[in-house]
Amino acid sequence: MLDALLKREGGYVNSPYDKGGPTNFGITQQTAKAFGYTGDMRLLTRDKALEIYRQQYWIDPKFYDVSLRYQRLAEKLFDCGVNMGPKVATRFLQRALNGLNRGASGYPDMIEDGQIGHLTLSALDAYKQQRGDAGEQVLLKLVNGQQAVRYLEICERDHNQEQFLYGWAANRLELVH
């Protein structure tokens, strides 16, 4: 999963249109600094990038906990979290689960706060118990759809971001069968 991500993210980039500023391996300067890296972004090592990804985009947002229930969903949330922020990816999951709970008869609605906690995991467990492994496909479709709409909204608000839309759609959105 991490190797595929690094391949998608590529190496050092400093596009004037990228709001993240200088990045390396897809890690923004701000994220690297928050993780304790203070060097030149061109010198960020692959190992340091992997350490940041594991902690900040897999362990801390609890996508690992999701992987114990649905692996492909967790990988989707991870990738979406890298590109849009873990809270955004988590809100996509929470919104989908709220929409799938049949008027709160399957499990209670939750606040879409972008934090995976007991309520989110309990809802995911109840959903999986009701829908089984096949339910993962539906969650993937709903998360993927929200991600696609968000990309379009980003470009509508800032036309400079349109130069990234094709790559986002080609590399981040997936066909879910």
Side-chain angles (χ1 to χ4, degrees):
M1 179 178 72
L2 289 169
D3 287 336
L5 175 71
L6 290 181
K7 185 177 179 183
R8 268 191 310 280
E9 290 293 343
Y12 178 77
V13 176
N14 190 8
S15 169
Y17 299 108
D18 187 343
K19 294 182 178 190
T23 65
N24 199 352
F25 301 109
I27 302 287
T28 66
Q29 190 170 33
Q30 180 180 357
T31 297
K33 281 184 181 180
F35 203 77
Y37 180 77
T38 58
D40 186 319
M41 287 305 292
R42 287 177 282 241
L43 304 177
L44 182 75
T45 65
R46 182 180 191 279
D47 286 344
K48 186 65 169 178
L50 289 173
E51 182 184 341
I52 292 169
Y53 279 128
R54 273 188 207 98
Q55 190 63 48
Q56 294 207 187
Y57 296 96
W58 185 248
I59 303 298
D60 288 352
K62 299 187 179 177
F63 296 150
Y64 170 77
D65 294 327
V66 172
S67 77
L68 299 175
R69 289 134 173 105
Y70 288 129
Q71 181 65 35
R72 284 187 58 216
L73 176 63
E75 290 174 9
K76 175 65 178 171
L77 295 172
F78 169 77
D79 185 66
C80 184
V82 165
N83 192 242
M84 297 183 162
K87 287 185 178 194
V88 172
T90 299
R91 281 194 296 272
F92 290 166
L93 171 63
Q94 291 169 328
R95 185 178 183 196
L97 285 168
N98 281 343
L100 291 166
N101 71 2
R102 298 183 321 270
S105 66
Y107 45 87
D109 278 335
M110 72 193 86
I111 296 171
E112 296 166 18
D113 62 1
Q115 302 288 326
I116 293 178
H118 175 73
L119 292 177
T120 303
L121 292 174
S122 293
L124 189 57
D125 287 339
Y127 175 82
K128 185 171 182 177
Q129 184 177 18
Q130 294 162 22
R131 299 296 183 179
D133 290 337
E136 183 176 31
Q137 286 291 100
V138 172
L139 283 171
L140 282 167
K141 288 176 181 181
L142 289 171
V143 168
N144 203 51
Q146 291 176 81
Q147 187 177 11
V149 168
R150 184 164 172 113
Y151 286 139
L152 289 169
E153 291 170 346
I154 288 168
C155 293
E156 288 167 350
R157 283 191 308 270
D158 180 354
H159 293 288
N160 287 324
Q161 300 302 300
E162 289 177 2
Q163 66 182 315
F164 302 117
L165 182 59
Y166 185 89
W168 289 334
N171 297 310
R172 288 299 202 306
L173 300 176
E174 53 193 271
L175 295 175
V176 182
H177 311 284

